Amino acid sequence: MDFFSTITEVHPSLDDKTCVQSKSISNDTLLRLAETVSALHEDKKQRIHKLQELATKLTDLWNLMDTPEEERRLFDHVTCNISASVDEVAVPGALALDLIEQAEVEVERLDQLKSSRMKELAFKRQVELEEIFAHAHIEIDPEAAREKIMALIDTGNVEPAELLADMDNQITKAKEEALSRKEILDRVEKWMSACEEESWLDDYNRDDNRYNASRGAHLNLKRAEKARILVNKIPGMVDTLVAKTRAWEEDRGISFKYNGIPLLAMLDEYAMLRQEREEEKRRLRDQKKFGEQQNTEQEPIFSSRSTPARPASTKKVVGPRTNGTPGRRLSLSASQNGSRSAAKEGKRDSMRVAAPTNFVAISKEDAASHVSGTDRSPASP
């Protein structure tokens, strides 16, 4: 406000620009000065109250629409006095009428923008809510929730701020529920991971080529060793999960569901399937053991029937061929053996007659066959 114009309204002589040598100090002038000061104090209070209301609305709208920080800084001179008292506001121009009018225009603009962005803001919170439920494996109907939000906004039955506040409350409760489920969900993830390793181990054990020296076979072998250790821990995991789940349900009075399915029902079904699988494995082992035992008992019978009896004599008798000519290998070896024997005997005893070089010691049967063979064709001179 202009000081001199205000003073002039009280009395013209109070303005130094008038070049009047004397100033009015009458009781009437002093009274009017006091009234002006009181009116200015009251105007200051009203302006501060108006400015603080606008600052509060601006802050709420900014938070509601997630206004960037850069846009908020443009009105720091308004929001800085949001909680100041009358005496604390002493900066020149802090309560100017044009500043208050500027804040009013911004509030109106944000109100109009809020109506057009309300669906976007509500759906943004709905997406956040759905992500929390999905991470906590809580099943919801997102389509129905979105339709409900659209109906509330279109009909105008609820204030946008109330709708968003209600959704913020739902997000807070969802986070609390997700936190209460975290321990059980971590154990469920470990149990499911162990079940996957159990399935892989079953496939690995059925592979007849698992011990072949192929590429990556040693890695599969190491994985199989770790998988066997992990699979042996599954019964303990299931028992702990059952105990934790029952305690959680008793504490809250509701069923613990994993993606819409009661977790205890899942664990019971797995226990039954595991028992059936163990019985099937035991049956297959017994069947294989019985088959091996049968093969072991039948093996001596088959070998005794299929093996022919050997002759008592181990001496190999070689007869003449179909053309009547004795085997050449046998004749040559016999001739050489006979010659060596005759030479040795001649050295030992000179009185003994040496055997002819073509002498072969044969049995009577061989001799008879030889004679019969020679009878058919006369000997050459």
Side-chain angles (χ1 to χ4, degrees):
M1 298 177 65
D2 183 56
F3 170 72
F4 292 105
S5 62
T6 306
I7 290 298
T8 303
E9 291 178 0
V10 174
H11 195 278
S13 64
L14 298 178
D15 187 0
D16 295 336
K17 294 180 181 180
T18 58
C19 299
V20 179
Q21 296 297 328
S22 61
K23 297 181 183 294
S24 174
I25 57 174
S26 63
N27 291 335
D28 182 62
T29 301
L30 294 177
L31 179 61
R32 293 180 65 183
L33 282 173
E35 291 175 351
T36 302
V37 171
S38 178
L40 289 175
H41 274 295
E42 187 64 27
D43 189 16
K44 180 181 181 181
K45 291 180 182 179
Q46 293 178 359
R47 292 191 184 190
I48 288 178
H49 181 69
K50 180 67 174 178
L51 195 66
Q52 288 178 344
E53 285 184 349
L54 293 172
T56 301
K57 289 182 179 180
L58 283 174
T59 304
D60 293 340
L61 290 170
W62 287 339
N63 295 334
L64 185 65
M65 295 184 290
D66 297 330
T67 303
E69 191 65 28
E70 293 77 10
E71 295 184 17
R72 301 188 185 197
R73 291 197 190 100
L74 298 176
F75 292 88
D76 283 346
H77 56 284
V78 176
T79 57
C80 64
N81 296 319
I82 193 171
S83 59
S85 62
V86 175
D87 297 332
E88 290 175 348
V89 180
V91 178
L95 301 177
L97 292 176
D98 56 348
L99 187 147
I100 296 175
E101 183 180 357
Q102 182 184 8
E104 289 177 342
V105 172
E106 181 65 15
V107 169
E108 291 178 0
R109 186 186 73 85
L110 292 178
D111 276 332
Q112 295 177 358
L113 183 63
K114 178 188 67 175
S115 300
S116 61
R117 292 189 59 191
M118 186 49 53
K119 293 180 182 179
E120 178 184 349
L121 296 173
F123 287 154
K124 183 178 180 180
R125 282 164 171 76
Q126 178 63 25
V127 169
E128 182 181 359
L129 190 63
E130 291 173 4
E131 290 178 353
I132 296 173
F133 284 144
H135 185 70
H137 296 276
I138 300 174
E139 191 177 46
I140 60 173
D141 188 356
E143 294 298 328
R146 292 173 183 269
E147 291 177 0
K148 182 179 179 181
I149 292 173
M150 290 284 291
L152 290 174
I153 295 175
D154 293 339
T155 57
N157 293 332
V158 62
E159 288 293 329
E162 294 180 2
L163 175 61
L164 296 182
D166 180 66
M167 297 191 70
D168 289 337
N169 188 29
Q170 293 181 33
I171 291 173
T172 302
K173 291 182 179 180
K175 289 180 178 179
E176 293 176 355
E177 185 174 0
L179 184 62
S180 69
R181 295 164 59 93
K182 186 177 184 304
E183 182 182 2
I184 296 178
L185 291 176
D186 290 342
R187 294 182 180 274
V188 170
E189 294 298 328
K190 293 180 180 179
W191 166 58
M192 289 186 171
S193 177
C195 291
E196 291 179 0
E197 287 299 298
E198 182 183 25
S199 178
W200 177 88
L201 185 61
D202 290 340
D203 296 337
Y204 177 78
N205 291 333
R206 286 194 294 267
D207 186 7
D208 296 334
N209 300 323
R210 60 183 179 275
Y211 296 121
N212 291 349
S214 59
R215 185 176 182 181
H218 65 290
L219 298 177
N220 290 333
L221 184 60
K222 290 182 179 179
R223 180 180 176 181
E225 293 175 358
K226 295 180 180 179
R228 291 187 183 96
I229 297 174
L230 186 60
V231 168
N232 292 332
K233 297 179 180 179
I234 290 181
M237 292 181 181
V238 173
D239 294 340
T240 304
L241 258 179
V242 170
K244 293 283 185 181
T245 304
R246 287 177 178 171
W248 188 93
E249 291 182 349
E250 291 176 359
D251 185 32
R252 288 163 179 78
I254 58 176
S255 175
F256 189 101
K257 293 185 178 181
Y258 187 89
N259 293 335
I261 303 174
L263 181 58
L264 289 179
M266 293 174 59
L267 295 173
D268 292 341
E269 183 180 1
Y270 170 79
M272 294 175 60
L273 292 175
R274 182 179 177 86
Q275 184 178 0
E276 293 176 0
R277 189 163 58 249
E278 292 297 329
E279 292 177 356
E280 179 67 16
K281 289 181 180 179
R282 191 181 302 109
R283 187 185 64 81
L284 292 176
R285 284 197 301 266
D286 294 342
Q287 184 178 358
K288 183 178 179 181
K289 184 178 180 181
F290 179 76
E292 292 176 352
Q293 184 177 2
Q294 290 291 106
N295 294 335
T296 304
E297 293 176 355
Q298 293 178 2
E299 191 173 305
I301 300 175
F302 292 146
S303 59
S304 61
R305 291 180 180 177
S306 60
T307 305
R310 294 184 178 181
S313 176
T314 59
K315 183 178 180 181
K316 185 175 182 181
V317 179
V318 180
R321 295 191 179 183
T322 56
N323 57 2
T325 305
R328 183 173 182 178
R329 184 178 299 175
L330 180 60
S331 302
L332 292 176
S333 61
S335 300
Q336 294 173 359
N337 290 335
S339 300
R340 293 193 187 98
S341 301
K344 290 180 181 180
E345 292 295 333
K347 291 180 181 180
R348 292 177 184 176
D349 190 2
S350 59
M351 295 300 293
R352 295 179 60 183
V353 181
T357 58
N358 60 349
F359 176 77
V360 179
I362 59 178
S363 60
K364 293 181 180 181
E365 293 79 1
D366 293 340
S369 62
H370 181 69
V371 171
S372 62
T374 54
D375 289 341
R376 294 191 186 102
S377 58
S380 60

